[in-house]
Amino acid sequence: MGLLRGARERWIRTGGIELCVAETGDPQRPTVVLVHGYPDSKEVWSEVALRLADRFHVVLYDVRGHGRSTAPVPLRGGFTLEKLTDDFLAVADAVSPDRPVHLVGHDWGSVQGWEFATVRRTEGRIASFTSVSGPSLDHFGHWIKERVGRPTPRRVGQLLGQGARSWYVYLLHTPVLPELAWRGPLGRRWPDLLRRVEKVSVEGYPTGSLPSDAAHGAWLYRDNVRSRMRRPRPDAHAHVPVQLITPTGDAFLSERLYDDLPRWAPRLVRRTLPAKHWVPRTRPDQLSAWIAEFVTAHEGEGAGVPPAVVSGRRYADRFGGQLVLVTGAASGIGRATALAFAEVGARVVAVDRDAEGAARTAERALRLGAPGAWPEAVDVSDEQAMEKLAARVAAAHGTVDVLVNNAGIGLSGSFFDTTADDWRKVLDVNLWGVIHGCRVFGRQMVERGQGGHIVNTASAAAFQPTRLLPAYGTSKAAVLMLSESLRAELAGRGVGVTAVCPGFVNTGITSTARFTGVSQAEEGRLRERTARRYALRNYPPEKVAAAILRAVVENRAMVPVTPEARVAHLLSRVAPGALRAVARVSPPL
Ligand code: NAD
């Protein structure tokens, strides 16, 4: 059956309608029912179904009037949430008569899902509900009423924000026009719009039934929205655990809509995805991973949802379950970053040329709640080793979601005291290490086509010249430019790139940095002195790690971290002459 490879199809009769139902996977496994939205048919879920089928009994059906299901006659009054609940129960009884099903809905599939999860007659038939980009109309109704009833400036802003996103809802309430548009020019142009605006791959999707799906589906809005907005049900409390997945770039739904949700769904887990509306098409890996994790947790199997996600810890909604690879993870900023991601429930690959240090970080990450953590002893400047690492990680754990190219070494000394060998060493690690990381893991992100993020650790030395750090500063300026250029190249692919520029951070870098042009004894003295000064400044690497997580969430291009880095960055833009003057100063030895 085309898109849903290996699926078995059958028709289920209910209330004069024939529902087309597709099943895949082992019927003995827990049943996951995927409900599609508007204007879609069950094929919107094909990529997710494919990924879930090896572990679950996956069921999809065309909502009445969509795909290959028949439409009610007359259409008006045939799409009420009550009738849609009848359909769902008929499907659930047919595909899983003895056990409750795990429900997943996208867009209108999720709007329906909220109805199913909050009405009494489905109690005992649903084990969990994953909601993607579709609110409960009742919750929405209360959300509006409360804001209209007690309008503070912030609440009016929220109302206007969502009002502007709902333009299509008003349009769909006009008679006949939507039907004419969908069966005419809009229906023809829709695949191209999805591709260009939503970045949806349109290979084999949407299906040929799109114009009639969209025309019939207009009745979903007309039969339900106005009545529920006027009289939202006061008792729309979920009787099942709910996982809410919110794409942050959704053009149709404001994230604020879900502010009041814990009141309606006390057993709530939140997930956030940097993506647009059609996540079943654009983020099937992440979506199926989160669905699988939630389902197995409520079947009493699997490792369960990371505790940080369940407790709602900051950023756990965004990184919980993601795969994060950090280089230079044995010490300092890299270690703190790997542990910060572990604390919010990410799976962590800790890479360092110091094997023991990497192992210690991975162990600690597990103790902090990472669902998985693996050490990797690799020299980032070794191209072949990095290629092998990328292949190993992809085979064992999948595509990296967040890559932090952080490994780096220090080098201080005048230009003429810096030998060609010194230059090579610092550029090999600080620049080539980053280039290799971006090439091997960035390519995997792009090829997967489901987004990701790259963080490169540069330095304030990238924009603050100094006679003390010609080679180090050059390597970091190159990392900054590489990051900016790559960011431009990957912008259209959903992969963000950030350059992080710390100032003086209290780490081990001072005790390993090389000082050129001095005797060994003098080098030792300089290391000690620098370490003392950094310790006195005492800016902890944990703060840099926190800035890195925030930068990924906010998709920032460049982040100067410490106050001195921020001042230097500002001066580099408004008064570069002042920075040039500082660059000439040679500190007292
Ligand atoms: P650190 O010395 O504490 O940690 C660096 C880690 O990188 C070490 O564990 C080291 O073993 C590892 N490493 C070095 N070369 C490697 C290689 N070739 N392959 C794999 N691993 C390698 O230093 P840190 O201060 O945490 O530095 C992290 C990054 O932050 C570096 O890129 C550094 O240039 C940058 N930075 C540091 C400061 C600071 O003040 N500490 C300021 C600005 C930028």
Side-chain angles (χ1 to χ4, degrees):
M1 70 149 295
L3 264 175
L4 293 165
R5 261 178 280 148
R8 312 172 284 279
E9 253 187 23
R10 57 167 147 157
W11 270 261
I12 292 174
R13 270 197 83 80
T14 163
I17 302 281
E18 302 260 357
L19 292 175
C20 178
V21 180
E23 285 172 79
T24 171
D26 179 358
Q28 301 306 316
R29 305 286 307 151
T31 301
V32 179
V33 178
L34 306 168
V35 188
H36 70 80
Y38 177 87
D40 273 320
S41 58
K42 62 182 177 312
E43 282 73 16
V44 74
W45 282 116
S46 60
E47 291 296 318
V48 173
L50 211 64
R51 287 161 174 78
L52 293 173
D54 58 342
R55 282 162 293 171
F56 304 107
H57 173 214
V58 185
V59 176
L60 311 86
Y61 65 97
D62 285 322
V63 172
R64 51 172 58 207
H66 296 69
R68 300 212 275 156
S69 295
T70 59
V73 183
L75 292 166
R76 178 190 299 276
F79 288 85
T80 59
L81 285 167
E82 291 75 13
K83 289 185 175 155
L84 297 167
T85 308
D86 294 340
D87 292 354
F88 164 71
L89 282 172
V91 172
D93 288 346
V95 299
S96 179
D98 307 320
R99 289 165 73 184
V101 302
H102 297 271
L103 172 64
V104 181
H106 172 247
D107 183 271
W108 255 93
S110 170
V111 175
Q112 293 186 50
W114 277 111
E115 176 80 1
F116 309 158
T118 56
V119 292
R120 295 298 135 214
R121 64 193 172 111
T122 58
E123 257 172 296
R125 298 299 296 127
I126 305 174
S128 76
F129 170 41
T130 294
S131 158
V132 189
S133 282
S136 149
L137 291 186
D138 299 301
H139 302 166
F140 194 8
H142 288 292
W143 187 89
I144 293 176
K145 271 182 192 295
E146 278 157 25
R147 277 155 186 78
V148 172
R150 298 213 331 262
T152 62
R154 201 169 61 95
R155 289 174 147 212
V156 172
Q158 292 176 352
L159 274 172
L160 292 176
Q162 181 54 47
R165 284 182 160 91
S166 298
W167 53 270
Y168 65 100
V169 181
Y170 319 126
L171 278 183
L172 283 165
H173 277 84
T174 56
V176 190
L177 275 180
E179 279 87 340
L180 286 176
W182 280 114
R183 292 190 191 278
L186 185 55
R188 280 194 300 277
R189 294 211 51 214
W190 188 247
D192 194 42
L193 277 173
L194 273 183
R195 188 173 52 77
R196 281 193 298 141
V197 181
E198 287 281 327
K199 312 284 181 218
V200 168
S201 148
V202 291
E203 206 183 316
Y205 164 89
T207 58
S209 63
L210 169 78
S212 82
D213 298 342
H216 290 154
W219 290 99
L220 290 167
Y221 293 87
R222 294 167 185 159
D223 276 352
N224 297 293
V225 174
R226 242 183 313 206
S227 56
R228 288 295 173 103
M229 291 303 110
R230 243 180 253 144
R231 278 180 306 282
R233 287 188 299 131
D235 60 348
H237 298 280
H239 49 71
V240 298
V242 178
Q243 169 171 238
L244 179 78
I245 300 179
T246 314
T248 50
D250 199 315
F252 308 106
L253 294 166
S254 151
E255 285 175 66
R256 297 278 73 81
L257 271 185
Y258 301 111
D259 284 352
D260 308 333
L261 206 53
R263 189 169 110 209
W264 300 108
R267 285 178 286 166
L268 179 68
V269 162
R270 290 177 192 260
R271 309 284 204 170
T272 312
L273 207 54
K276 296 188 174 202
H277 183 73
W278 261 274
V279 283
R281 302 306 303 176
T282 58
R283 299 287 185 272
D285 282 351
Q286 183 64 84
L287 216 50
S288 49
W290 282 344
I291 293 167
E293 195 176 66
F294 198 61
V295 168
T296 47
H298 290 98
E299 287 286 327
E301 300 169 7
V305 179
V309 182
V310 177
S311 65
R313 193 189 165 107
R314 189 157 198 226
Y315 300 146
D317 58 327
R318 173 72 162 73
F319 297 118
Q322 290 211 324
L323 184 62
V324 178
L325 185 141
V326 182
T327 70
S331 163
I333 296 169
R335 179 173 190 274
T337 304
L339 298 182
F341 276 111
E343 277 184 316
V344 296
R347 297 175 295 144
V348 175
V349 184
V351 179
D352 206 290
R353 65 178 172 193
D354 166 6
E356 277 179 27
R360 273 197 302 276
T361 300
E363 264 169 46
R364 179 107 184 87
L366 283 178
R367 282 206 299 279
L368 287 173
W374 306 274
E376 284 283 355
V378 175
D379 179 343
V380 295
S381 66
D382 181 339
E383 181 183 357
Q384 284 189 352
M386 286 295 277
E387 272 171 7
K388 283 188 191 145
L389 171 71
R392 232 175 14 250
V393 169
H397 317 299
T399 306
V400 167
D401 296 298
V402 181
L403 165 70
V404 186
N405 287 309
N406 162 82
I409 52 174
L411 175 68
S412 178
S414 82
F415 176 75
F416 289 111
D417 284 338
T418 307
T419 64
D421 203 36
D422 290 330
W423 272 96
R424 244 173 251 124
K425 275 189 189 135
V426 82
L427 290 178
D428 273 354
V429 181
N430 292 9
L431 177 57
W432 277 103
V434 176
I435 295 174
H436 296 324
C438 290
R439 287 190 71 217
V440 296
F441 291 105
R443 190 182 297 284
Q444 288 181 0
M445 284 181 190
V446 168
E447 279 172 0
R448 176 176 65 164
Q450 299 183 41
H453 203 101
I454 299 174
V455 178
N456 296 328
T457 310
S459 164
F463 42 78
Q464 159 138 41
T466 152
R467 55 184 291 175
L468 288 177
L469 303 170
Y472 181 82
T474 301
S475 73
K476 293 302 185 180
V479 167
L480 179 55
M481 183 49 85
L482 164 64
S483 308
E484 291 277 11
S485 308
L486 194 58
R487 183 178 171 88
E489 181 168 338
L490 299 185
R493 314 276 198 130
V495 176
V497 182
T498 299
V500 171
C501 299
F504 304 110
V505 184
N506 193 8
T507 70
I509 201 165
T510 44
S511 53
T512 53
R514 169 138 172 64
F515 291 79
T516 62
V518 292
S519 68
Q520 243 185 344
E522 180 61 7
E523 185 173 34
R525 198 184 70 79
L526 287 173
R527 279 185 182 148
E528 267 177 38
R529 193 202 59 189
T530 317
R532 268 200 312 279
R533 286 186 181 162
Y534 275 53
L536 214 60
R537 167 74 185 86
N538 201 20
Y539 194 91
E542 289 73 22
K543 278 197 176 178
V544 184
I548 287 177
L549 266 67
R550 195 165 51 244
V552 177
V553 169
E554 294 171 4
N555 190 13
R556 299 268 303 278
M558 204 278 278
V559 181
V561 183
T562 58
E564 65 273 12
R566 283 203 292 274
V567 169
H569 182 242
L570 186 70
L571 286 178
S572 74
R573 293 178 5 170
V574 300
L579 276 195
R580 289 186 189 119
V582 174
R584 295 180 179 201
V585 175
S586 168
L589 290 177

